[in-house]
């Protein structure tokens, strides 16, 4: 069969940087390996030089994100997943547990809490594109939730559903929200992220942020289950402060740490969190304006108030495609993503494997607005290419 792409004129403009992956995400504008010359390589991460770079990463994280001075920040193993697991296995148990599950990773935390830790937790869930009923969140229970659903494109608009005088802890997976959305630190006791997301760092490392209330739980509660070494945050009943001052539980990549420091330096140089948020918001507006005039596409997030400005998830709404089976709809979206990758104009924009069929386009601050503007005609071109076969 002839290549259908040959029958349609291709758009004239191409994105200068076609990296729209939702993790690892695009490097910051102007990035170069030359920026990593100061990396502490071939030396112990526990050397004075190694610890100083790790401590700098912690300090600059606090500055850019506006983390309160009495919160602890640590660099931990296994990306955001490792940071969340450390919190779940170390802190849960003494109180009732509730979980908000509205996308893939939130559902993973349900599996860990219910099937692995075997806690009798209440799951407040919702289909992809919606938020659960947050009015059911209890102040006496520990709460586990994602702030921004990386695989659904849905985020909580604020933390108003978390009580000021709560007795339970709030444990927030914020990996695709940090550096792009405003977090309400007073409502959050544990915050986790990985720098491979919104700052485009290299993967493998997580960041764990603990409030004084979370620290108090660590020091007053011993879980009944065994804790692997990489989860242990206390020594002799007290929090191990070395973890939050530049020491790490296992060996980090100092090259990745240097890359993170470079991204933090860039973030600070352009105006910090306000500018990072502005860039992500403006990027979202490009796709919103395009989607509003494009009949074949819609946001997976049903309510604009809960629409993510980082992991933007789109669904194909054309009646011809919607009439296909679920497998064929998924195949249609995959063909679009594959064609755009072949053209070199959009890399890794297929929807998440467990999410409804569609496309997922990262719009965080390391992506340039001009590249998204150049992308949208290509999205139309790819759709028209394969929709013509359904006519």
């Amino acid at each position: 069969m002839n290549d259908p792409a040959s029958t349609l004129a291709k758009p004239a403009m191409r994105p200068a940087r076609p990296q729209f992956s939702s993790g690892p995400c695009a490097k910051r504008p102007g990035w170069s390996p030359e920026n990593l010359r100061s990396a502490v390589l071939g030396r112990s991460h526990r050397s004075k030089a190694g610890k100083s770079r790790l401590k700098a990463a912690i300090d600059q994280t606090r500055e850019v994100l506006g983390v309160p001075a009495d919160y602890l920040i640590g660099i931990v193993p296994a990306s955001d997943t490792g940071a969340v697991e450390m919190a779940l296995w170390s802190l849960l148990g003494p109180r009732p547990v509730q979980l908000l599950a509205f996308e893939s990773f939130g559902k993973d935390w349900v599996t860990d809490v219910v099937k692995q830790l075997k806690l009798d937790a209440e799951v407040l869930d919702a289909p992809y594109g919606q938020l659960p009923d947050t009015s059911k969140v209890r102040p006496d229970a520990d709460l586990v939730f994602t702030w921004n659903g990386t695989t659904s494109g849905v985020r909580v608009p604020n933390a108003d559903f978390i009580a000021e005088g709560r007795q339970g802890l709030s444990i927030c997976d914020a990996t695709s929200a940090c550096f792009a959305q405003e977090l309400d630190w007073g409502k959050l006791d544990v915050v986790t992220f990985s720098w491979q997301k919104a700052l485009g760092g290299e993967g493998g490392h997580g960041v764990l942020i603990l409030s004084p209330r979370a620290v108090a739980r660590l020091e007053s509660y011993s879980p009944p289950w065994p804790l692997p070494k990489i989860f242990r945050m206390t020594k002799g009943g007290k929090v191990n402060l070395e973890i939050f001052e530049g020491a790490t539980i296992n060996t980090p990549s100092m090259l990745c740490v240097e890359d993170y420091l470079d991204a933090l330096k860039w973030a600070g140089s352009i105006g910090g969190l306000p500018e990072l948020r502005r860039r992500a918001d403006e990027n979202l507006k490009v796709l919103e304006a395009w989607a509003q005039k494009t009949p074949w596409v819609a946001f997976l997030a049903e309510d604009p108030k809960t629409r993510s400005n980082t992991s933007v998830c789109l669904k194909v709404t054309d009646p011809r495609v919607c009439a296909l089976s679920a497998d064929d709809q998924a195949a249609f979206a995959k063909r679009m993503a594959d064609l755009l990758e072949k053209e070199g104009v959009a890399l890794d924009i297929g929807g998440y494997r467990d999410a409804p069929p569609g496309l997922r386009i990262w719009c965080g601050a390391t992506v340039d607005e001009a590249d998204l503007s150049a992308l949208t005609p290509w999205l139309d071109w790819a759709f028209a290419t394969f929709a013509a076969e359904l006519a």
Side-chain angles (χ1 to χ4, degrees):
M1 187 172 75
N2 293 333
D3 181 1
S6 64
T7 65
L8 294 172
K10 297 176 184 178
M13 298 291 294
R14 291 173 175 266
R17 294 191 300 144
Q19 289 83 11
F20 300 107
S21 165
S22 289
C25 301
K27 309 299 287 185
R28 58 105 168 157
W31 181 88
S32 165
E34 290 298 311
N35 300 327
L36 311 183
R37 291 190 303 269
S38 298
V40 180
L41 304 180
R43 295 196 58 186
S44 170
H45 59 292
R46 302 193 190 282
S47 67
K48 184 176 180 180
K51 281 187 177 181
S52 71
R53 299 310 281 166
L54 288 160
K55 183 62 163 58
I58 290 171
D59 291 344
Q60 291 178 39
T61 298
R62 186 183 305 279
E63 181 178 351
V64 173
L65 287 180
V67 179
D70 57 350
Y71 281 49
L72 301 181
I73 303 174
I75 297 169
V76 300
S79 195
D80 176 66
T81 301
V84 174
E85 298 282 13
M86 288 178 71
L88 300 183
W89 286 71
S90 299
L91 296 169
L92 295 185
R95 283 192 169 274
V97 179
Q98 291 183 307
L99 300 102
L100 302 184
F102 54 96
E103 51 89 49
S104 299
F105 292 100
K107 296 177 190 295
D108 286 342
W109 310 143
V110 171
T111 297
D112 286 353
V113 173
V114 175
K115 294 186 177 180
Q116 302 301 321
L117 297 179
K118 302 187 185 304
L119 295 175
D120 185 18
E122 180 184 10
V123 179
L124 305 176
D125 58 7
Y128 281 88
Q130 300 177 23
L131 276 180
D133 183 357
T134 56
S135 68
K136 295 181 178 179
V137 170
R138 296 163 44 185
D140 64 319
D142 291 334
L143 176 68
V144 180
F145 73 106
T146 54
W147 188 282
N148 183 93
T150 311
T151 65
S152 68
V154 174
R155 62 171 167 178
V156 295
N158 52 58
D160 291 351
F161 60 93
I162 300 174
E164 290 280 1
R166 64 192 180 282
Q167 297 83 51
L169 298 179
S170 58
I171 300 173
C172 177
D173 173 357
T175 196
S176 55
C178 280
F179 303 105
Q181 298 167 19
E182 188 71 34
L183 302 179
D184 188 344
W185 292 103
K187 297 288 188 75
L188 304 176
D189 296 300
V190 178
V191 174
T192 68
F193 70 89
S194 64
W195 55 60
Q196 70 180 18
K197 290 290 186 183
L199 287 188
E202 295 303 302
H205 303 78
V207 175
L208 177 67
I209 304 175
L210 303 177
S211 74
R213 299 178 75 249
V215 172
R217 171 74 65 83
L218 279 174
E219 296 182 342
S220 63
Y221 167 67
S222 296
W225 42 77
L227 282 181
K229 177 183 177 181
I230 61 170
F231 287 179
R232 297 175 204 155
M233 291 183 277
T234 59
K235 270 186 179 181
K238 294 292 183 181
V239 67
N240 182 1
L241 290 176
E242 290 185 351
I243 297 172
F244 305 96
E245 294 173 352
T248 55
I249 295 174
N250 72 339
T251 306
S253 164
M254 297 307 295
L255 195 62
C256 291
V257 170
E258 199 65 30
D259 188 56
Y260 179 46
L261 282 166
D262 173 71
L264 288 168
K265 181 180 179 181
W266 167 77
S269 72
I270 65 172
L273 184 58
E275 178 60 14
L276 296 174
R277 290 176 57 204
R278 188 200 68 80
R279 284 177 62 91
D281 288 344
E282 291 302 312
N283 285 343
L284 172 61
K285 288 178 183 177
V286 171
L287 293 185
E288 286 180 326
W290 165 74
Q292 188 172 16
K293 64 182 182 181
T294 304
W296 64 264
V297 74
F299 286 87
L300 186 57
E302 296 178 4
D303 183 352
K305 294 178 183 176
T306 68
R307 190 175 291 164
S308 171
N309 66 346
T310 56
S311 53
V312 176
C313 296
L314 303 169
K315 58 185 178 181
V316 179
T317 57
D318 184 90
R320 294 166 293 176
V321 177
C322 292
L324 301 174
S325 68
D327 287 345
D328 286 343
Q329 289 184 53
F332 185 93
K334 185 177 187 303
R335 290 178 73 193
M336 285 184 62
D338 289 347
L339 178 59
L340 292 166
E341 181 161 347
K342 180 181 177 182
E343 288 290 331
V345 295
L347 307 180
D348 310 319
I349 66 166
Y352 190 73
R353 60 181 179 269
D354 295 332
L359 303 174
R360 183 171 58 151
I361 302 169
W362 185 260
C363 285
T366 60
V367 172
D368 287 322
E369 183 181 341
D371 286 332
L372 286 162
S373 295
L375 171 65
T376 55
W378 285 95
L379 297 174
D380 288 325
W381 171 79
F383 169 78
T385 294
F386 297 118
E389 300 175 359
L390 303 175

